Amino acid sequence: MDRRMFLRCLGCGAAVATASQTELVPEFLGGLQNACAFDFTKELSSVQARYYKKLEGGGIECTLCPRHCIVTDLERGYCGVRENRDDVYHTLVYGLPCALNIDPIEKKPLFHFYPGTTALSVATAGCNVNCKCCQNWEISQSRPEQTDNLDLSPKALVDICTHRNVPTIAYTYSEPVIFYEYMYDTAELGHKKAVKSVMITGGYIEQKPLADLMLQLDAIKVDLKAIREDYYRNFVGGKLKPVLDRLVQIKKAGMWLEIVYLVIPTLNDTEAEFKELAQWIKTNLGTDTPLHFSRFHPQYLLKNLPATPKKTLETAHAISRAEGLEFVYLGNVAGHPAESTYCPACGQVLIERRGYRIYQNNLKGNHCSKCGREIPGLF
Ligand code: SF4
C-alpha cells in the first residue's frame, strides 16, 4: 500500500469526522462498518470538481450542495466521492457508473415527458443525504471502492443511446448531484447528438450549479420527501428549505418538473401534511405540476414500518385534487386508476397506464383529442 492509498484508508475516518458535524453519525458509521472490504487498488477518477473554493490557511469548501463540506487534504466530503488533493478538489466517480439499465421513462417516474419512451439510467456510488427509507442504499451509501464500476465516458453513454435508439439519459438511482461533472458533460454531449437528459434527484443542490446544469437538461423529477423540516432533519439528514427553493427555481427556469412524495406510515402521512403540500405546490409551482404519491415498502432502516395502505394514498390523492392540483398520480399500486392521466377539462382518459405500460394515448400533440384542452408537458 503506497502513501496515497494509506492516507485514503485513513480518509474513511476523516469522512466520519465530517459526518460528525451532522446528526447522522450512527447511520453513517453503519455504512462504513465494512470499511476493510474497500478495494483501495481500484482506480478512481481525478477530474477536478467545478464548485468549491480554497480556504485561507488550507482546505477547501465544497459549494455544490447545501451541506458545504469543509475538507482538508486527502479527506473526502460527506458524499464520499469528492476528495481534496493538495487543495484541489476532485470528483472520484467521473466515468465510473456502478449501475446502468434501460428503463421505461414511466419508471422514473416522468408521466408528462415523452410517454412510452425509454431512458438509459445511470448512477455512481455516493449520496449527499442518508434517507432512512432509501431504496438504493447499497450504492447510495457506498464509496466507489465498494461498488463494481464500469468505465464509461460521457461519449460512451451517448453512443449506447444512439446505437440502441434510446432517446434519453436519466441520471438516477443514487443522487446525481454528487456526480455532477459526469452528468453535465454527458448531457452537454448528448444534446449535440439529439439525446435528451433528465435528472432524478432529491433537489439538494446549490442555486448556481443547478442554474448551470439546467442549460443541459430537458426535465427534472424531484423527490420531495416531506413538507416538514423535522422530517428532513430526522429521516433524511438534510434541510427542507433549500429543496423548496430549488423547486421554485426549476419552475421559474421553465424546466419540465414532476414531483414524487413517498408516503411513509406515521412519518409524513397526515391529512394536514397532504393539504399543506398541495397548497404549497399550488401557490409556488402552479396547479399544472404533476404530483406522484408513491407507496412505501419496508426497507433499509425503516423495516419496522408497514407498507403504505392504499386508502392513505387515495386520501392524499383526493386532498390534492380538492386543493386544485390537476395531475395527481399514485405509484407502486399497479392497476390503480390514478396511474393514468385524465383531461382536467373534460375528464377523458388521455394516457392509460398500468404499471409502466401504456395502453391508450388519446393526446393530439399537447392537446386533449376530445375537448382540445392544452396538456402541460413534452409529448
Ligand atoms: S456535494 Fe458532497 S462534498 Fe460537496 S457539499 Fe455536498 S456532500 Fe459535501
Side-chain angles (χ1 to χ4, degrees):
M1 185 183 284
D2 66 15
R3 182 178 172 274
R4 179 165 292 279
M5 282 183 189
F6 176 71
L7 288 170
R8 191 182 283 171
C9 185
L10 291 181
C12 301
V16 173
T18 303
S20 70
Q21 294 156 6
T22 77
E23 293 133 304
L24 287 173
V25 175
E27 294 91 309
F28 199 81
L29 283 169
L32 291 174
Q33 63 196 358
N34 202 20
C36 293
F38 280 27
D39 180 358
F40 291 109
T41 60
K42 273 190 183 175
E43 276 300 313
L44 301 179
S45 75
S46 58
V47 171
Q48 191 176 159
R50 292 177 194 163
Y51 297 91
Y52 72 96
K53 58 186 178 194
K54 294 189 185 194
L55 299 174
E56 273 181 40
I60 65 95
E61 177 180 345
C62 179
T63 54
L64 177 56
C65 93
R67 207 170 273 285
H68 280 253
C69 296
I70 307 288
V71 189
T72 56
D73 192 27
L74 291 173
E75 276 194 348
R76 292 185 189 179
Y78 176 90
C79 54
V81 298
R82 294 175 173 270
E83 188 170 277
N84 180 349
R85 295 177 186 165
D86 298 326
D87 285 352
V88 177
Y89 211 33
H90 291 83
T91 163
L92 306 179
V93 289
Y94 190 104
L96 298 175
C98 63
L100 193 73
N101 198 38
I102 296 175
D103 293 323
I105 197 76
E106 284 73 20
K107 194 175 175 183
K108 300 299 101 193
L110 281 167
F111 279 10
H112 292 231
F113 185 86
Y114 304 107
T117 63
T118 53
L120 178 67
S121 298
V122 185
T124 73
C127 189
N128 57 356
V129 292
N130 184 353
C131 298
K132 291 187 175 175
C133 58
C134 185
Q135 294 174 5
N136 295 311
W137 61 271
E138 290 98 335
I139 61 172
S140 73
Q141 300 306 317
S142 291
R143 300 302 187 85
E145 294 91 339
Q146 290 175 297
T147 52
D148 289 329
N149 306 319
L150 298 162
D151 185 0
L152 287 172
S153 66
K155 181 178 180 305
L157 290 178
V158 173
D159 283 349
I160 291 171
C161 290
T162 50
H163 290 145
R164 295 200 172 207
N165 281 328
V166 176
T168 302
I169 299 176
Y171 311 93
T172 181
Y173 299 145
S174 56
E175 173 49 68
V177 168
I178 60 90
F179 58 91
Y180 182 98
E181 294 79 3
Y182 183 37
M183 167 169 55
Y184 185 104
D185 290 357
T186 305
E188 184 180 39
L189 188 65
H191 274 175
K192 291 178 183 149
K193 305 275 181 186
V195 175
K196 295 179 271 299
S197 277
V198 299
M199 176 167 70
I200 310 303
T201 177
Y204 210 50
I205 180 171
E206 278 297 358
Q207 188 270 341
K208 174 75 168 90
L210 178 61
D212 295 342
L213 179 66
M214 282 197 287
L215 300 174
Q216 309 301 338
L217 294 180
D218 297 279
I220 299 179
K221 189 219 81 179
V222 172
D223 285 300
L224 178 58
K225 297 162 197 292
I227 196 69
R228 301 270 169 87
E229 278 289 359
D230 61 345
Y231 180 95
Y232 268 79
R233 192 170 52 247
N234 297 327
F235 296 98
V236 176
K239 292 180 182 154
L240 169 64
K241 176 75 168 48
V243 178
L244 297 181
D245 290 346
R246 294 300 85 81
L247 284 167
V248 172
Q249 182 187 351
I250 293 165
K251 199 72 180 190
K252 278 192 178 151
M255 173 73 39
W256 182 249
L257 169 69
E258 301 192 24
I259 296 173
V260 167
Y261 184 102
L262 180 69
V263 182
I264 305 182
T266 73
L267 300 186
N268 63 1
D269 66 341
T270 63
E271 293 188 13
E273 283 165 290
F274 297 146
K275 193 165 180 174
E276 214 173 304
L277 172 71
Q279 288 176 345
W280 187 89
I281 291 173
K282 181 167 70 173
T283 306
N284 295 281
L285 307 176
T287 56
D288 62 350
T289 307
L291 171 63
H292 304 249
F293 288 106
S294 190
R295 187 178 201 198
F296 163 83
H297 291 287
Q299 61 204 346
Y300 189 36
L301 301 174
L302 292 181
K303 288 197 180 117
N304 54 319
L305 294 178
T308 318
K310 197 167 80 172
K311 192 166 180 330
T312 307
L313 295 165
E314 288 171 340
T315 301
H317 183 275
I319 289 172
S320 305
R321 291 287 291 123
E323 288 296 328
L325 299 192
E326 294 173 315
F327 303 98
V328 185
Y329 300 101
L330 299 188
N332 294 341
V333 277
H336 196 284
E339 286 185 311
S340 297
T341 303
Y342 302 88
C343 176
C346 70
Q348 169 170 241
V349 178
L350 295 174
I351 303 168
E352 183 189 352
R353 299 182 189 83
R354 273 179 253 159
Y356 303 132
R357 294 191 65 183
I358 289 181
Y359 287 82
Q360 287 186 62
N361 187 337
N362 294 317
L363 282 165
K364 251 193 186 167
N366 267 56
H367 294 84
C368 170
S369 60
K370 190 171 165 195
C371 73
R373 209 272 203 182
E374 190 173 345
I375 305 302
L378 297 153
F379 297 106

